[in-house]
Amino acid sequence: MALALSPPRLPKPKSIQPSHYYESFLEKKGPRDRDYKKFWAGLQGLTLYFYNSNRDSQYVEKLDLGVFVKLRDEAPWGSSQDPGTHFCLVLRNQEIKFKVESLESREMWKGFIMTVVELRVPFNLTLLPGHLYMMTEALAKEEARRALEMPSCFLQVSRLEAQLLLERYPECGNLLLRPSGDGSGGVSVTTRQALNGTPVVRHYKVKCEGPKYVIDVEQPFSCASLDAVVNYFVSHTNKALVPFLLDEDYEKVIVPSPSRPVVQKPRKLAKFQAKPPKTPVMPKPEPKGLNSVLARKLAVSSAQVFSPTTGLADVTAELEEKLQRRRALEHAAARTGDQQANLQA
């Protein structure tokens, strides 16, 4: 009589964490936390992930470094001396305190965060040559990643809708990317700044020349990706321009409907063969040519075709109404001037 053999048990597949630029244990304390909590943390792209242990593949928390403001060393609460194990991550909407095991660990975390945020290796930290080499490798990976990804400040809105978004939500930023309005399938940059107390909205051309994007300012500037285009405006205005990023509360309000712009997640771009050059990092009061290029119409050809959303009636109507009022005032003033000239004649 043949015996029925049960199939062999297969081992459960081990969960694998995503590839991080840097990872180690990190104690975190948020604005609402009473004490520090220990996590296994990993940095990937512009996101800091937190896991309950180094064996978990599913993160429990994450922080978006796209709203990064600065890093700050701190002394423990109640102490006047800095042991080199505490630092604070200041974001646009919150401050997160961290505690590590050593000064070396603190400098490593600060170095990797600054590398991905500023797209350059910081040489002003207490780091060894091997650490700097690791950050150089992370920088190359981040530059390649960004060359294939649409920046988070890209929104599927028209020229007029972009102006209205920047006007309505100034706390979310004052620079955004959008599809071009001339049907060429390109991308335009819209900014809004207060100059001498008066808000000024500007639009810029970005010409696609092979694998590079060329910003059409007084002295054209070449970038390897749209993310580098954003960094150009930010760094050359000494961070006066801030990429537009809606908070979660606003994203719940601005949903696809006939009356509101559509907020879409970043999209992948076609791969480029050329190696992206370093992004400019020297801050200047104002990039040369930005003041002279006012409200230009974009005419570009891009590697990817974007489809502007439709059905945004009330948003567009609000701006059109403002334009009609302005034209009516200008027309009335012109007529008054003609009448006065006729009387004098």
Side-chain angles (χ1 to χ4, degrees):
M1 183 176 179
L3 298 177
L5 299 177
S6 60
R9 292 184 178 181
L10 298 176
K12 294 183 179 180
K14 295 183 179 180
S15 58
I16 302 176
Q17 292 180 351
S19 176
H20 299 130
Y21 300 156
Y22 181 67
E23 58 186 9
S24 73
F25 284 106
L26 194 60
E27 295 188 49
K28 168 180 170 291
K29 181 180 179 182
R32 300 178 181 178
D33 299 330
R34 301 185 61 181
D35 203 353
Y36 286 92
K37 184 177 180 180
K38 193 171 186 179
F39 294 95
W40 178 258
L43 178 64
Q44 173 63 35
L46 283 174
T47 306
L48 192 56
Y49 295 95
F50 299 91
Y51 308 85
N52 285 326
S53 74
N54 57 359
R55 295 183 299 273
D56 295 342
S57 60
Q58 181 61 43
Y59 65 87
V60 292
E61 295 182 30
K62 66 177 182 177
L63 287 175
D64 180 15
L65 299 180
V67 291
F68 173 88
V69 177
K70 63 179 179 179
L71 285 170
R72 183 177 66 227
D73 294 339
E74 286 195 343
W77 186 83
S79 174
S80 59
Q81 295 183 348
D82 179 12
T85 56
H86 292 70
F87 68 98
C88 180
L89 172 62
V90 181
L91 303 178
R92 195 189 305 172
N93 52 356
Q94 61 178 325
E95 293 188 8
I96 309 296
K97 297 182 182 297
F98 293 108
K99 183 167 62 173
V100 292
E101 297 177 351
S102 64
L103 173 62
E104 177 182 310
S105 180
R106 184 177 77 173
E107 297 297 277
M108 288 287 283
W109 274 113
K110 288 167 54 182
F112 274 99
I113 291 175
M114 295 302 298
T115 296
V116 298
V117 168
E118 297 187 347
L119 286 182
R120 65 183 181 91
V121 176
F123 291 96
N124 60 336
L125 301 175
T126 309
L127 298 169
L128 298 175
H131 299 157
L132 295 175
Y133 179 77
M134 293 169 60
M135 293 172 192
T136 302
E137 290 184 320
L139 175 60
K141 294 178 181 178
E142 180 62 12
E143 288 178 333
R145 183 190 72 84
R146 294 198 192 184
L148 302 177
E149 187 173 86
M150 184 65 66
S152 57
C153 61
F154 172 82
L155 298 179
Q156 284 279 6
V157 294
S158 69
R159 173 181 174 130
L160 294 176
E161 294 152 5
Q163 293 179 212
L164 189 56
L165 278 175
L166 296 179
E167 178 183 343
R168 285 183 174 179
Y169 308 106
E171 65 275 16
C172 295
N174 56 2
L175 177 154
L176 63 79
L177 299 182
R178 57 174 177 80
S180 63
D182 59 0
S184 64
V187 180
S188 178
V189 178
T190 298
T191 66
R192 185 177 188 269
Q193 282 184 282
L195 299 178
N196 299 323
T198 302
V200 176
V201 177
R202 297 169 178 170
H203 308 275
Y204 300 92
K205 290 182 180 180
V206 181
K207 298 179 181 180
C208 186
E209 298 181 356
K212 297 182 180 181
Y213 293 89
V214 180
I215 305 173
D216 187 14
V217 288
E218 188 173 312
Q219 294 182 355
F221 190 87
S222 177
C223 299
S225 65
L226 290 176
D227 193 83
V229 170
V230 175
N231 286 337
Y232 168 84
F233 285 94
V234 173
S235 62
H236 281 68
T237 58
N238 198 20
K239 299 184 179 179
L241 288 176
V242 179
F244 190 84
L245 184 63
L246 289 171
D247 294 335
E248 293 182 359
D249 293 338
Y250 291 117
E251 290 185 2
K252 294 176 183 177
V253 175
I254 302 180
V255 295
S257 72
S259 63
R260 298 188 184 276
V262 177
V263 179
Q264 293 193 352
K265 297 298 181 183
R267 298 160 59 181
K268 296 289 182 180
L269 294 174
K271 290 186 177 181
F272 298 131
Q273 299 300 326
K275 184 177 179 181
K278 293 291 187 296
T279 304
V281 297
M282 292 301 293
K284 300 178 182 179
E286 186 79 11
K288 187 175 183 180
L290 291 190
N291 282 328
S292 62
V293 188
L294 301 178
R296 293 188 179 181
K297 188 175 182 180
L298 182 65
V300 302
S301 59
S302 177
Q304 179 177 351
V305 177
F306 302 98
S307 299
T309 58
T310 59
L312 306 170
D314 68 336
V315 176
T316 304
E318 181 177 337
L319 282 170
E320 288 180 348
E321 183 180 354
K322 292 181 179 180
L323 293 175
Q324 290 174 2
R325 290 178 182 175
R326 184 182 303 171
R327 290 169 183 166
L329 292 174
E330 292 175 352
H331 182 67
R335 290 185 59 186
T336 300
D338 292 341
Q339 291 175 359
Q340 291 178 353
N342 291 333
L343 291 175
Q344 293 175 357

